[in-house]
Amino acid sequence: MAINIDAIYKSTWEHYQQAKQSLIEKRAFEHCDAAISDVIPGFEADKLEFGSYDKENFAVLFVDMRDSTKRAQDVGAEKTFLTMHVFLTALLEVVKHYHGKVIDIMGDGVMVFWGGREARAEDNMVKTEAVRNAGRCGLAMLNVRTGVINKIITDEELGNEVSIGIGVTFDSVVVTKIGISDSYDVKAFGDCINVASKYSKHHNRMKVSKKVKELWPSSKTGKLRFVEDRTGGYFVE
């Protein structure tokens, strides 16, 4: 099911207005009860031993704002603050629509997983569906960039429009518990994570791995094209 741009715009606008009011009143933000950490599907920090690890396959999506450092220097702290509330809120609404699991928010970027044993057990999400959801999520993010994020940025005079890059891969991920007894987290490592991050270094395009291309369900009426990049991977157009 396609995303509802109007609904995402409404949610993003409401979050933006809350952030704007907070900035005006100089009051602290409400603490979020649902922490991002410890959300890798099928793995819970309190049930893992330090140093232990397990492997699982996930579709991985990285989305990143391009040239964010220069943009922040150009527009200043307050407009950057407001821009990020627009930017991240809109992207996370898209992730929620496509049932992704947000693994990390890294300042101006987001890492999301689909699949794994938990998704297979609860939602019967096989790897082809995980890849399709990740890919559709990435394409929807490109639409939301223009229809929601940059519309609000332009209307509210928050500076230049933002560009994003998106990378999607699918492969084995190592999950482990890192830290000490009173300060720890569950982290994921793997080549597919590094590649997805590398693939996100383009402007307003989505780049996927060969495995994602092969797993992506095809149809006779499909309009997507996979254009091979000389440096590896495929742009989806």
Side-chain angles (χ1 to χ4, degrees):
M1 184 174 64
I3 59 171
N4 185 328
I5 289 286
D6 290 339
I8 293 177
Y9 181 93
K10 181 176 183 293
S11 173
T12 303
W13 178 256
E14 289 172 352
H15 279 79
Y16 165 73
Q17 289 296 331
Q18 182 179 355
K20 189 176 181 180
Q21 188 63 30
S22 297
L23 189 62
I24 293 171
E25 296 178 2
K26 297 291 191 294
R27 60 182 172 82
F29 292 107
E30 295 180 2
H31 177 69
C32 178
D33 292 330
I36 292 301
S37 62
D38 197 19
V39 294
I40 297 175
F43 300 90
E44 298 179 34
D46 59 353
K47 296 180 181 179
L48 293 175
E49 298 292 333
F50 286 109
S52 65
Y53 71 92
D54 199 356
K55 279 189 174 183
E56 186 54 273
N57 292 325
F58 292 103
V60 179
L61 179 147
F62 254 94
V63 56
D64 181 57
M65 183 190 293
R66 310 307 303 136
D67 302 323
S68 59
T69 301
K70 183 179 184 306
R71 187 183 189 281
Q73 293 171 343
D74 290 342
V75 304
E78 289 191 0
K79 288 188 176 181
T80 297
F81 166 84
L82 293 172
T83 295
M84 295 312 298
H85 276 274
V86 173
F87 177 71
L88 291 173
T89 298
L91 294 183
L92 294 176
E93 287 287 354
V94 179
V95 171
K96 181 172 68 175
H97 179 85
Y98 287 100
H99 309 291
K101 298 291 186 180
V102 177
I103 304 304
D104 204 357
I105 296 177
M106 301 84 61
D108 60 357
V110 181
M111 180 170 70
V112 190
F113 280 8
W114 283 263
R117 65 174 67 94
E118 184 177 85
R120 290 194 299 272
E122 294 183 1
D123 304 316
N124 195 30
M125 185 185 288
V126 296
K127 58 186 178 182
T128 54
E129 185 177 357
V131 164
R132 180 178 59 185
N133 284 353
R136 287 179 173 177
C137 181
L139 293 173
M141 286 176 171
L142 292 173
N143 290 332
V144 164
R145 181 192 79 91
T146 55
V148 177
I149 297 171
N150 283 335
K151 187 177 188 310
I152 294 176
I153 286 173
T154 299
D155 291 346
E156 293 296 301
E157 300 181 348
L158 298 179
N160 295 332
E161 294 185 349
V162 302
S163 295
I164 63 174
I166 300 166
V168 180
T169 60
F170 180 89
D171 216 323
S172 176
V173 169
V174 173
V175 180
T176 187
K177 182 177 179 177
I178 293 180
I180 57 177
S181 59
D182 57 352
S183 182
Y184 58 84
D185 203 355
V186 175
K187 292 296 181 183
F189 302 94
D191 286 343
C192 66
I193 295 175
N194 299 330
V195 171
S197 176
K198 178 181 176 182
Y199 282 0
S200 71
K201 309 306 180 187
H202 295 274
H203 287 260
N204 305 323
R205 304 185 80 181
M206 183 173 74
K207 188 174 180 181
V208 305
S209 66
K210 181 179 180 181
K211 187 169 289 189
V212 167
K213 175 183 177 294
E214 293 171 344
L215 289 171
W216 197 307
S218 60
S219 67
K220 293 181 179 179
T221 59
K223 298 180 180 179
L224 294 179
R225 291 194 313 131
F226 293 87
V227 181
E228 188 171 3
D229 182 16
R230 291 180 300 174
T231 61
Y234 297 80
F235 290 107
V236 182
E237 299 179 349

